[in-house]
Amino acid sequence: MKKLKLPKLHNQILAALLLGAIFGSIFSINKNKLVITYKADNNIKKEIVKGWNQFCFVIPNKVDAVCFGSNQQQEIISYNSKLKREGKTANVFVSGAKLIEGNSNNFSRLYTNVVSISKEGTIATDIKWIGDIFIRLLSMLAIPLVFASLTVGAASLGDIKKFARIGGKTISYYLITTAVAITIGLVLANIVKPGERMSSETKNRMISAYTEDASSKISDLGSYNINQQIVNIIPKNPIKAFADGDMLQIIFFSIFLGLILSLISNEKASPLIKFFDGLSDSMIKMVDIIMIIAPIGVFALISATVGEFGFDILQTLIWYAAVVIVGLLIHTFGFYSFLLKMFSKIRIFTFFKGIRRAQAIAFSTSSSAATLPVNMECCQENLGISKSITSFVLPLGATINMDGTALYQGVASVFIAQVFGIELNIMQQLTIIITATFASIGTAPVPGVGIIMLVIILKSVGIPEEGIALIMGVDRILDMARTITNVTGDAAGAVIIASSEKEIIHPDLSNA
Ligand code: ASP
């Protein structure tokens, strides 16, 4: 009997991506349905309403009701969470709707003691937990892997001189490519002027739908002080840094420890180095095992995201989204290819083929940290980069190098300024380049942090930070795209630095 041959893992992952997107679009959340949970007779009850004409919040002791029309699902949910945050319990009056469970048409009803208002999940969003298992498995490895591999990486550089040389190259590469990324974003946004193409109707809709989410993101940032951020790189207690997953602190401690290991006696250092080396290898091996379920995880993640957010939101902000995506494509396929051609001997095709698995995982998890183990494996096994370079350059890059995020922040700042009718002069645009370059260092490699750091950039040039409400609807989808650029930039950096140190066995040359 002929044995059934499964396609290769990366093809399975790509197929899962595509199928997940199709599945999510078919079973997407109905934008005209809401689940109302309310308290009645000391019981919690749920009712699904569909296709309302009017959805009003009646707040006790307030004369005017706040009403929303049909097609304002997001606005209704946001407004309800605002009331919750303010500790108010509203009554809700729905009119002209169809009640799903009782199946009555055109009913009107007052719900008192509303506990929550939410979208109704579908099979595409209900399977999200499977994707969450996959992200958790990868994230579980990130911290021990960064700790073990950076410590070995720093120790194996051997001496402080080599460390300073490689460290200097790495940081310079990361800062320069980030500055180029923002510049691409700024130039494109100034040419296309996406903000001027947005209708005032869309502007008002986005602001009323996302103001609540925006203010909670702004308050997440708290007070941001650059000196304090620098001080915070040094952990008071490394164990706390591990427990909190504070990557910059972990990096600081690991590199310091690695360097010290090359200064103490070999007899004492070598068991520790062997231990960390074994730990780092075990983490990489775990990735192999976890990747077996990658197609299922990727399918679930993409289907849940597309099912919940849909690609149609991109249409509302089509010019903005297009500028971000075109910018990311230019940077990822144009600029990195140019750098690789200039500073390495690798074939561009080999490079992108070698890291395609990491790119697919970045897209589906939106997390550079969760992708780090996969990226390390791709760089070592497919691109032939030495372990000492990957273990130093990649964990550092995953944390401090975010070209995709920076590019998007450049576009977003100009876009928001244009919508508010603010002209940004050259000095302000330069300030954006500098602030975004440094902000990207402090951006945690997890989903959705880029938009929080954007608040700092907007503040630096006096653009109203509430403007992030305008772009929140598409942020989830663009986060997926910018994370691909973030991890590609790390891998390109590893190739370039390894080439300059002759620590790469070129896959093309070795196959030849
Ligand atoms: N999700 C991005 C990353 O992990 C960060 C961001 O842009 O929000 O690389």
Side-chain angles (χ1 to χ4, degrees):
M1 209 170 80
K2 230 175 144 192
K3 221 174 129 197
L4 189 74
K5 219 173 139 218
L6 281 176
K8 288 210 173 107
L9 185 63
H10 39 255
N11 291 334
Q12 288 180 31
I13 297 175
L14 288 181
L17 257 172
L18 207 68
L19 291 176
I22 297 172
F23 190 75
S25 338
I26 297 174
F27 296 101
S28 61
I29 279 183
N30 187 329
K31 302 220 161 28
N32 297 312
K33 263 190 197 173
L34 278 170
V35 184
I36 304 181
T37 311
Y38 61 101
K39 254 196 227 152
D41 316 322
N42 269 337
N43 284 325
I44 298 282
K45 295 195 172 164
K46 256 187 193 175
E47 223 154 68
I48 302 172
V49 292
K50 187 183 172 189
W52 54 89
N53 287 336
Q54 269 213 320
F55 198 111
C56 298
F57 290 87
V58 191
I59 303 154
N61 305 329
K62 252 194 154 180
V63 186
D64 296 328
V66 178
C67 291
F68 296 89
S70 50
N71 297 330
Q72 284 196 296
Q73 187 194 50
Q74 187 58 43
E75 285 86 334
I76 294 169
I77 295 176
S78 275
Y79 189 76
N80 189 53
S81 27
K82 172 179 144 129
L83 292 179
K84 282 264 128 28
R85 225 189 313 268
E86 290 169 357
K88 293 185 187 142
T89 313
N91 301 324
V92 164
F93 180 71
V94 185
S95 73
K98 184 174 163 143
L99 173 68
I100 306 288
E101 270 156 30
N103 210 18
S104 58
N105 270 319
N106 207 1
F107 91 116
S108 297
R109 172 150 181 192
L110 181 72
Y111 295 89
T112 50
N113 289 320
V114 172
V115 180
S116 70
I117 299 178
S118 55
K119 299 174 187 169
E120 190 198 30
T122 67
I123 176 157
T125 56
D126 289 348
I127 56 172
K128 183 166 177 282
W129 63 273
I130 303 176
D132 288 342
I133 291 184
F134 176 61
I135 296 202
R136 275 181 172 244
L137 283 168
L138 286 175
S139 313
M140 169 180 91
L141 308 187
I143 289 175
L145 180 62
V146 169
F147 179 41
S149 64
L150 257 185
T151 307
V152 182
S156 68
L157 293 180
D159 59 88
I160 301 278
K161 251 169 112 192
K162 189 171 176 197
F163 167 77
R165 192 177 68 235
I166 297 187
K169 282 184 197 170
T170 310
I171 304 278
S172 319
Y173 166 88
Y174 286 156
L175 291 180
I176 294 170
T177 53
T178 306
V180 170
I182 312 160
T183 311
I184 294 179
L186 289 177
V187 169
L188 283 179
N190 279 300
I191 296 175
V192 180
K193 301 196 186 331
E196 291 176 13
R197 294 170 193 265
M198 190 184 202
S199 71
S200 61
E201 187 261 332
T202 318
K203 173 184 167 185
N204 294 339
R205 227 179 75 212
M206 291 294 137
I207 292 204
S208 75
Y210 294 103
T211 294
E212 273 322 297
D213 293 343
S215 46
S216 88
K217 294 264 179 224
I218 294 169
S219 64
D220 277 354
L221 181 68
S223 60
Y224 189 86
N225 173 331
I226 183 79
N227 296 345
Q228 195 53 42
Q229 291 304 312
I230 295 172
V231 172
N232 282 349
I233 295 177
I234 302 161
K236 259 198 209 158
N237 172 355
I239 308 294
K240 185 167 185 304
F242 290 117
D244 294 345
D246 189 322
M247 285 294 199
L248 280 179
Q249 295 192 345
I250 298 172
I251 287 178
F252 180 86
F253 183 74
S254 314
I255 294 180
F256 206 172
L257 178 64
L259 287 178
I260 296 300
L261 285 178
S262 57
L263 297 182
I264 61 172
S265 76
N266 198 21
E267 184 203 346
K268 294 206 170 132
S270 82
L272 262 182
I273 295 179
K274 277 196 183 128
F275 167 79
F276 285 123
D277 204 18
L279 183 60
S280 145
D281 277 3
S282 322
M283 295 299 119
I284 300 268
K285 190 80 209 151
M286 269 193 205
V287 179
D288 281 345
I289 312 284
I290 295 169
M291 289 313 277
I292 298 173
I293 63 154
I296 304 171
V298 165
F299 176 85
L301 286 171
I302 298 292
S303 109
T305 313
V306 173
E308 180 168 357
F309 300 95
F311 287 122
D312 49 347
I313 180 94
L314 287 179
Q315 281 162 18
T316 333
L317 289 167
I318 188 77
W319 285 104
Y320 162 70
V323 172
V324 174
I325 291 170
V326 169
L328 292 175
L329 287 172
I330 295 176
H331 195 75
T332 309
F333 295 103
F335 183 59
Y336 293 139
S337 302
F338 165 76
L339 287 182
L340 290 169
K341 267 238 132 10
M342 293 282 294
F343 299 106
S344 83
K345 291 204 182 86
I346 202 162
R347 274 173 54 209
I348 306 301
F349 179 75
T350 311
F351 173 76
F352 283 104
K353 190 170 161 218
I355 61 156
R356 65 189 156 173
R357 189 183 293 180
Q359 289 183 322
I361 300 299
F363 185 73
S364 31
T365 60
S366 294
S367 165
S368 304
T371 313
L372 174 66
V374 186
N375 208 9
M376 283 180 79
E377 205 191 19
C378 289
C379 286
Q380 279 172 27
E381 286 177 11
N382 305 342
L383 305 183
I385 304 174
S386 77
K387 204 170 150 195
S388 83
I389 294 289
T390 49
S391 32
F392 183 75
V393 175
L394 291 178
L396 205 60
T399 312
I400 68 173
N401 183 43
M402 305 223 173
D403 294 356
T405 302
L407 188 147
Y408 132 89
Q409 288 169 333
V411 178
S413 318
V414 176
F415 173 74
I416 296 171
Q418 286 168 350
V419 174
F420 285 111
I422 301 170
E423 258 320 312
L424 293 174
N425 60 30
I426 288 289
M427 268 329 279
Q428 283 170 308
Q429 306 224 15
L430 273 177
T431 311
I432 294 180
I433 297 182
I434 295 166
T435 327
T437 304
F438 289 102
S440 80
I441 298 179
T443 307
V446 290
V449 183
I451 200 159
I452 301 180
M453 301 308 273
L454 177 62
V455 174
I456 303 173
I457 299 162
L458 297 181
K459 271 191 180 159
S460 73
V461 284
I463 304 171
E465 63 239 43
E466 302 74 37
I468 61 168
L470 292 168
I471 53 168
M472 289 202 69
V474 284
D475 201 60
R476 186 68 191 80
I477 305 270
L478 295 182
D479 193 3
M480 294 157 71
R482 64 190 189 238
T483 309
I484 296 189
T485 306
N486 290 348
V487 304
T488 308
D490 301 340
V495 171
I496 289 168
I497 288 153
S499 297
S500 75
E501 293 288 322
K502 307 216 171 2
E503 296 228 23
I504 178 166
I505 305 162
H506 279 293
D508 308 317
L509 304 182
S510 63
N511 287 345

